[in-house]
């Protein structure tokens, strides 16, 4: 009823402000009251799910607050004491509710098992993470997965929800669709502004979506070249007219239904940017793609064509044989018009269209060549990510190795050449396994399995599954290697 009143009142607003007001129509105060009620309702709906995060940094900057890194964390801190603002506190029990941290951020409960979405830079380098929720004692959390490219991470309470009384932990916030939002949409931002939310009650700000496709300037390398590394460098950010203060990173941006449509990132307010503006990572197809993987503890994988464009246009400048684009029949001078039906007009649009698509899967491209519109099918590779990728749910191993696309282990300046050579890359070798005993090492490229060429992890797995229980001869960039079967209960 309230939403209907607001919609009716807003439509009638220009008339209501004139002297000729219908006696049975809504007046200006009705319009304002309806909007006020809508904002209040959105805050009440979303606020319980917005939490405060305190980070205790490790001495050497290593991220230790990760599920499964207990041994590393204990070795780093044998005395079991956390120092917060110079005051020692035992970390083998619950955190004190009255300590004050000056290294803080925000998070949003999004999962039924207590998963909390935040930003990568809030949790990176943490030895300990403490979370405050209204009505609960502070508790310790650990990272499930973190992705430097999207600047997103998911953490969860150590030990899960078992220590909490039934119904005490906040319900997950409902997810909205950011792709439908347009500049002018009313939005509410909630978070731990200036660490004022130590009681677990987030501060709120109200405003509009100022722009839906903002980008940050990418830093230059040692040669003065601009090298984009994060999605924020590709016109993927929301710009809000609400100022996001220190501590708001990882907070919630919600619509008037109380649905999460973006995650705030105060780190964008650097020198050279509008200090009155706030930025947020939208929960569109690209953002949801990252969140869906992170909440399961998995690495976020981004589709990759392996081409050079004449930036900022969508015309292909270079295609090398063996890359996904080369294998798919794309040529220099082609213009990419659409990816999986999504129109593309520039380089940033191509990144936004390709990145959320599954790697190793075919995708249809619409291209323009010599005035003709053609359709091509390509199988995407995997985009290489700079920075530490944290994933606690990993792919299965085969005889002691994990493999991936060669694009993720090749130097950036040799990337296209490495992709053209084909094969799959070894990203992990487990000690004491047949793979290590045979001499296989991280960084090697496997090009053939018993004489059969492999270009994707899926093709590699299919090839070795057909040889279960048998010695397998691999052709690699460092010579042939034969891997014996695993013995005992291990499963290939």
């Amino acid at each position: 009823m309230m939403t209907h009143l607001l919609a009716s009142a807003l439509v009638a607003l220009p008339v209501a402000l004139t002297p000729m007001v219908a006696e049975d129509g809504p007046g200006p105060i009705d319009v304002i009251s309806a909007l006020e009620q809508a904002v209040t309702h959105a805050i009440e709906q979303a606020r319980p799910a917005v939490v405060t995060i305190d980070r205790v940094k490790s001495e050497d900057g290593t991220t230790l607050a990760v599920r499964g890194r207990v041994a590393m964390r204990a070795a780093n801190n044998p005395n079991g004491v956390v120092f917060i603002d110079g005051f020692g506190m035992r970390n083998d029990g619950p955190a004190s509710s009255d300590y004050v941290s000056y290294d803080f951020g925000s998070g949003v409960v999004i999962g039924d098992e207590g998963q909390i979405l935040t930003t990568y830079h809030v949790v990176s380098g943490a030895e300990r993470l403490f979370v405050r929720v209204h009505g609960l004692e502070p508790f310790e959390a650990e990272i499930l997965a973190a992705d430097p490219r999207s600047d997103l991470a998911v953490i969860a309470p150590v030990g899960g929800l078992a220590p909490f009384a039934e119904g005490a932990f906040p319900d997950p916030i409902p997810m909205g669709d950011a792709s439908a939002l347009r500049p002018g949409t009313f939005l509410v931002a909630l978070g731990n502004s200036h660490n004022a939310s130590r009681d677990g009650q987030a501060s709120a700000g109200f405003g509009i979506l100022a722009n839906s496709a903002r980008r940050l300037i990418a830093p230059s390398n040692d040669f003065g070249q601009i090298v984009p590394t994060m999605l924020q460098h590709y016109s993927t950010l929301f710009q809000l007219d609400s100022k996001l203060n220190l501590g708001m990173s990882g907070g919630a941006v919600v619509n008037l239904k109380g649905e999460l449509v973006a995650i705030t990132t105060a780190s964008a307010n650097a020198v050279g940017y509008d200090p009155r503006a706030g930025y947020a990572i939208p929960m569109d197809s690209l953002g949801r793609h990252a969140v869906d993987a992170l909440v399961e503890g998995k690495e976020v994988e981004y589709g990759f064509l392996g081409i050079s464009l004449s930036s900022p246009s969508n015309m292909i400048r270079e295609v090398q044989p063996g890359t996904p684009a080369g294998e798919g029949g794309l040529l220099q001078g082609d213009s990419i018009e659409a990816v999986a039906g999504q129109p593309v007009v520039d380089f940033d649009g191509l990144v936004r269209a390709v990145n959320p698509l599954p790697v190793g899967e075919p995708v249809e491209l619409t291209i323009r060549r010599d005035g003709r519109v053609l359709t091509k099918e390509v199988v995407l590779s995997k985009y290489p990510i700079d920075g530490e990728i944290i994933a606690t749910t990993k792919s299965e191993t085969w005889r002691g190795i994990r493999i991936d696309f060669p694009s993720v282990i090749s130097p950036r300046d040799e990337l296209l050449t490495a992709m053209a050579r084909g094969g799959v890359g070894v990203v992990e070798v487990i000690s004491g396994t047949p793979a290590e005993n045979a001499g296989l090492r991280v960084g090697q490229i496997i090009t053939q399995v018993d004489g059969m060429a492999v270009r994707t992890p899926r093709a590699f797995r299919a090839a070795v599954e057909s040889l279960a229980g048998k010695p397998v001869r691999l052709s690699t960039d460092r010579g042939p290697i034969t891997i014996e079967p695993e013995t005992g209960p291990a499963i290939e």
Side-chain angles (χ1 to χ4, degrees):
M1 180 67 182
M2 184 269 294
T3 305
H4 176 71
L5 172 62
L6 175 59
S8 302
L10 291 176
V11 171
L13 182 58
V15 177
L17 295 179
T18 66
M20 302 298 292
V21 179
E23 293 183 1
D24 59 346
I29 190 64
D30 298 314
V31 176
I32 299 302
S33 295
L35 177 59
E36 181 182 64
Q37 291 177 39
V39 174
T40 300
H41 177 72
I43 294 174
E44 290 175 346
Q45 289 289 105
R47 196 180 192 187
V50 182
V51 305
T52 295
I53 300 173
D54 294 323
R55 175 178 62 177
V56 180
K57 289 184 178 179
S58 63
E59 293 185 1
D60 60 0
T62 304
T63 305
L64 299 173
V66 178
R67 179 170 292 180
R69 293 189 183 177
V70 176
M72 291 176 59
R73 197 166 57 185
N76 191 65
N77 188 2
N79 297 321
V81 176
V82 170
F83 287 92
I84 301 177
D85 308 330
F87 298 96
M89 182 184 71
R90 298 293 304 181
N91 62 19
D92 52 3
S96 170
S97 60
D98 57 359
Y99 77 87
V100 178
S101 173
Y102 289 96
D103 191 353
F104 49 84
S106 308
V108 189
V109 179
I110 62 166
D112 293 328
E113 299 177 5
Q115 297 98 327
I116 297 168
L117 179 63
T118 183
T119 55
Y120 181 93
H121 69 268
V122 164
V123 301
S124 178
E127 180 176 325
R128 284 288 194 273
L129 293 169
F130 296 105
V131 176
R132 300 172 187 262
V133 175
H134 182 58
L136 300 177
E137 288 295 317
F139 58 87
E140 188 172 0
E142 56 192 357
I143 301 169
L144 299 185
D147 175 48
R149 181 164 168 78
S150 64
D151 192 29
L152 292 173
V154 168
I155 65 176
V158 174
L161 296 184
F164 300 94
E166 185 176 354
F169 203 83
D171 292 330
I173 195 169
M175 300 292 287
D177 182 10
S179 61
L181 302 186
R182 298 293 180 267
T185 302
F186 290 147
L187 297 173
V188 177
L190 300 103
N192 181 25
S193 177
H194 289 304
N195 205 21
S197 304
R198 292 191 300 274
D199 59 356
Q201 298 190 74
S203 301
F206 174 64
I208 65 168
L209 176 61
N211 195 287
S212 59
R214 282 292 186 237
R215 65 185 300 171
L216 302 183
I217 298 174
S220 59
N221 61 17
D222 294 338
F223 301 98
Q225 300 169 319
I226 300 299
V227 182
T229 57
M230 298 176 66
L231 288 174
Q232 287 89 323
H233 304 140
Y234 295 103
S235 299
T236 59
L237 289 176
F238 275 178
Q239 180 182 344
L240 314 176
D241 72 340
S242 301
K243 183 178 180 180
L244 302 182
N245 296 310
L246 182 68
M248 289 290 285
S249 283
V253 178
V254 301
N255 56 23
L256 294 189
K257 297 178 182 178
E259 297 172 333
L260 183 70
V261 294
I263 292 293
T264 55
T265 174
S267 67
N269 286 341
V271 176
Y273 293 94
D274 182 1
R276 298 181 180 274
Y279 296 88
I281 304 163
M283 293 296 100
D284 52 12
S285 61
L286 195 49
R288 291 293 295 270
H289 168 71
V291 171
D292 288 345
L294 294 172
V295 78
E296 295 182 7
K298 297 179 179 179
E299 175 187 352
V300 183
E301 296 184 330
Y302 297 96
F304 187 45
L305 277 172
I307 59 174
S308 296
L309 291 186
S310 298
S311 181
S313 75
N314 55 346
M315 180 177 291
I316 298 175
R317 182 178 61 194
E318 181 183 3
V319 177
Q320 291 198 27
T323 62
E327 292 289 291
L330 272 64
L331 301 176
Q332 180 181 9
D334 289 345
S335 293
I336 301 177
E337 304 283 312
V339 176
Q342 180 177 337
V344 171
V345 296
D346 56 18
F347 181 71
D348 286 5
L350 180 65
V351 170
R352 293 194 300 268
V354 170
N355 273 187
L357 298 176
V359 301
E361 299 288 344
V363 59
E364 185 176 274
L365 303 183
T366 303
I367 66 170
R368 184 175 295 276
R369 177 183 297 168
D370 299 328
R372 297 176 298 147
V373 175
L374 306 174
T375 299
K376 297 289 183 180
E377 185 177 84
V378 300
V379 176
L380 296 176
S381 185
K382 183 176 175 180
Y383 186 88
I385 297 176
D386 294 327
E388 183 188 13
I389 300 169
I390 298 173
T392 56
T393 302
K394 297 184 178 181
S395 60
E396 293 182 359
T397 61
W398 175 81
R399 298 188 184 180
I401 64 169
R402 283 192 176 88
I403 51 92
D404 211 326
F405 288 88
S407 55
V408 303
I409 63 173
S410 303
R412 190 171 291 274
D413 57 352
E414 300 175 10
L415 184 58
L416 296 183
T417 303
M419 294 176 69
R421 288 196 297 264
V424 294
V426 179
V427 295
E428 183 178 0
V429 179
I430 299 174
S431 177
T433 60
E436 186 193 49
N437 296 338
L440 205 57
R441 297 294 181 262
V442 171
Q444 276 184 265
I445 302 296
I446 301 170
T447 56
Q448 293 183 347
V449 176
D450 266 19
M452 179 187 304
V454 292
R455 301 192 64 86
T456 67
R458 173 179 290 185
F460 175 85
R461 285 190 291 267
V464 296
E465 283 174 4
S466 66
L467 300 168
K470 302 176 182 178
V472 176
R473 182 178 175 85
L474 305 177
S475 298
T476 81
D477 59 341
R478 303 176 193 176
I481 291 179
T482 298
I483 312 293
E484 298 295 332
E486 290 185 300
T487 58
I491 300 174
E492 291 189 328

